[in-house]
Amino acid sequence: MKKYIIIPTLEPDPCFHARVEELREQIPAQIVVIDDGSGSDYRERFEQIDEMDGCVVLYHEENRGKGRALKTGFSYVRRCLSAEKKAAGGSGELMEAAAGILCLDSDGQHSAENGAELLELVENCPGTLILGGRDFTGREVPWKSRLGNRVSSAVFRLISGRYLSDTQTGLRAFDDSLLDLMTETPGERFEYETNVLLACISRGICIRTEKISTVYIDKNEGTHFRPVRDSAAILRTLFGELFRFGVSSLLCAFLDLFLFWLFDRGKWPAGWQERAWHIAAATAGARLLSASLNFILNRYWVFGRGKGWVSLRRYLLLCIGIAAASAASVWAVSALFGADPTAVKIFCDALLFLMSWRIQRSRVFLGRRKGGKSHAG
């Protein structure tokens, strides 16, 4: 298996050359460095690396962001593999797992030893994204990095349903079967790496975390991460889908509530059994119409994915389950407290909101992997 190391960098420090040299000595790989618009003052440093055996430098004339720099590297690797496949006459030996790809940051936080370990795992874990997870408990870790990691991991778990100890690590390895995913995932700057994790989870791609050494040079003062702007972009990435789901759900909830009120108008039956059937019928009629609109919005606007009839069948089953839970809870609470069913329904459906979102993103609107297979996250 061929090996590639992709290093996006902006205005690298004087020690960057030495780090690349160390990588060359310890890992037999093609090293691809992307100069993300560092400018003429840094050109000599990049030219020295470009002259080294096994190294190539790709240039952005202006700063385009870490995500775009990584994609530039991925595109270069894909072109190299395509050329090799063409030269080999399209032989099967280059069809699957032709290359292992390692991404790492240029600021010295990632050691060559850890990079080599992750690349070795790639050969035994096809189709897996392997993360180098840092330990944030040490005294050498800046407090803002420790706090930021804990918050991002907690938020990521809330949004995705999956806990990852280090969502912002730049040390990642995978084989070339994931190159299409990496190049097609949206994002130009630091939010791109979060988008990749969400894309992998939505498509059922395995994510594995391996512990690595934690290194901070000068308390990470050399980072190009912009706390306000880049944090806002990451939060938009994490909460964007939930916000759209909320808008879709709120719109359809108003429609559902209006239809329920419309169907439930008139004198309520005196007996509790007749009243239960009356509420169930009103709930079913309102939910059928509102759910139709909700499915269209969720598939094409909220999640932007789905597998036709598979998603529709699962969505219908979920709707039946949610509607049954809604009807049962509305009947129980209104019967127990003598409350108006419409008011009770608002409370009960609010509790079912997050449950519905989590199930839809992980079990209903599935992503597609290469070859047309879909997997639950």
Side-chain angles (χ1 to χ4, degrees):
M1 175 183 284
K2 287 183 65 65
K3 296 178 181 179
Y4 291 87
I5 300 175
I6 297 178
I7 311 175
T9 184
L10 172 65
E11 301 176 355
D13 60 57
C15 298
F16 179 57
H17 185 279
R19 297 187 196 112
V20 174
E21 189 69 59
E22 183 180 7
L23 286 169
R24 289 180 63 245
E25 293 175 354
Q26 297 199 31
I27 306 176
Q30 169 78 55
I31 298 177
V32 183
V33 175
I34 300 91
D35 170 18
D36 189 28
S38 299
S40 58
D41 291 343
Y42 295 85
R43 186 54 62 99
E44 184 177 352
R45 294 181 187 178
F46 287 109
E47 290 176 347
Q48 291 175 351
I49 292 173
D50 204 15
E51 294 173 357
M52 297 166 59
D53 291 337
C55 296
V56 63
V57 178
L58 308 176
Y59 295 95
H60 288 172
E61 292 305 318
E62 58 183 22
N63 177 248
R64 301 177 64 185
K66 184 180 182 181
R68 175 49 55 188
L70 286 168
K71 292 177 187 178
T72 296
F74 297 149
S75 298
Y76 174 84
V77 171
R78 189 158 56 178
R79 289 195 301 272
C80 290
L81 294 176
S82 297
E84 290 183 20
K85 179 181 176 181
K86 184 176 181 181
S91 61
E93 62 185 73
L94 287 173
M95 293 299 290
E96 295 185 2
I101 297 133
L102 175 71
C103 304
L104 56 79
D105 295 337
S106 64
D107 56 7
Q109 289 192 39
H110 306 139
S111 68
E113 293 84 355
N114 289 149
E117 292 169 359
L118 263 62
L119 276 174
E120 288 180 8
L121 288 172
V122 167
E123 297 190 45
N124 299 319
C125 304
T128 298
L129 175 61
I130 303 173
L131 306 178
R134 296 163 291 181
D135 180 5
F136 290 91
T137 61
R139 292 183 177 180
E140 74 282 359
V141 179
W143 69 268
K144 59 183 179 181
S145 297
R146 184 184 297 110
L147 177 62
N149 177 75
R150 289 177 179 174
V151 171
S152 62
S153 292
V155 172
F156 189 86
R157 183 174 187 174
L158 172 67
I159 298 300
S160 69
R162 171 76 183 274
Y163 175 75
L164 295 174
S165 61
D166 189 356
T167 61
Q168 300 303 312
T169 178
L171 187 63
R172 306 179 176 200
F174 52 91
D175 64 41
D176 61 290
S177 67
L178 299 184
L179 272 177
D180 287 344
L181 170 72
M182 297 298 171
T183 55
E184 294 168 4
T185 297
E188 299 294 299
R189 297 188 178 275
F190 286 97
E191 78 280 3
Y192 167 76
E193 292 173 311
T194 301
N195 282 337
V196 167
L197 298 179
L198 293 173
C200 287
I201 291 173
S202 71
R203 289 161 175 77
I205 294 171
C206 179
I207 301 176
R208 174 173 175 174
T209 299
E210 292 293 319
K211 288 186 178 180
I212 62 172
S213 54
T214 305
V215 180
Y216 280 98
I217 300 175
D218 295 329
K219 296 184 178 182
N220 204 26
E221 293 296 332
T223 181
H224 293 284
F225 184 85
R226 299 164 297 184
V228 176
R229 182 174 177 179
D230 291 325
S231 294
I234 292 173
L235 288 175
R236 283 197 302 270
T237 293
L238 289 172
F239 286 104
E241 182 183 279
L242 181 58
F243 174 77
R244 294 192 300 272
F245 184 81
V247 172
S248 172
S249 298
L250 191 62
L251 176 64
C252 294
F254 279 123
L255 176 62
D256 185 57
L257 191 63
F258 171 75
L259 293 173
F260 179 83
W261 170 81
L262 192 65
F263 297 151
D264 191 51
R265 282 191 308 171
K267 187 177 181 180
W268 296 343
W272 68 268
Q273 290 181 325
E274 291 80 4
R275 185 178 181 186
W277 282 110
H278 185 78
I279 291 176
T283 299
R287 190 58 54 92
L288 177 64
L289 296 176
S290 63
S292 299
L293 175 62
N294 189 242
F295 175 80
I296 295 172
L297 289 175
N298 287 357
R299 183 182 179 188
Y300 294 103
W301 181 55
V302 176
F303 300 104
R305 60 179 185 268
K307 198 184 177 186
W309 290 107
V310 173
S311 294
L312 180 59
R313 287 196 299 270
R314 295 186 178 187
Y315 179 82
L316 290 175
L317 288 174
L318 176 63
C319 283
I320 293 172
I322 295 292
S326 176
S329 58
V330 169
W331 169 77
V333 175
S334 61
L336 183 62
F337 297 101
D340 179 73
T342 300
V344 172
K345 183 177 171 62
I346 297 174
F347 173 77
C348 293
D349 285 2
L351 296 179
L352 294 169
F353 169 78
L354 285 177
M355 179 189 298
S356 176
W357 169 65
R358 292 287 293 273
I359 294 175
Q360 286 189 51
R361 82 175 316 275
S362 63
R363 291 289 182 266
V364 177
F365 296 100
L366 308 177
R368 290 176 176 269
R369 292 194 66 173
K370 195 174 181 179
K373 297 180 180 179
S374 64
H375 299 258

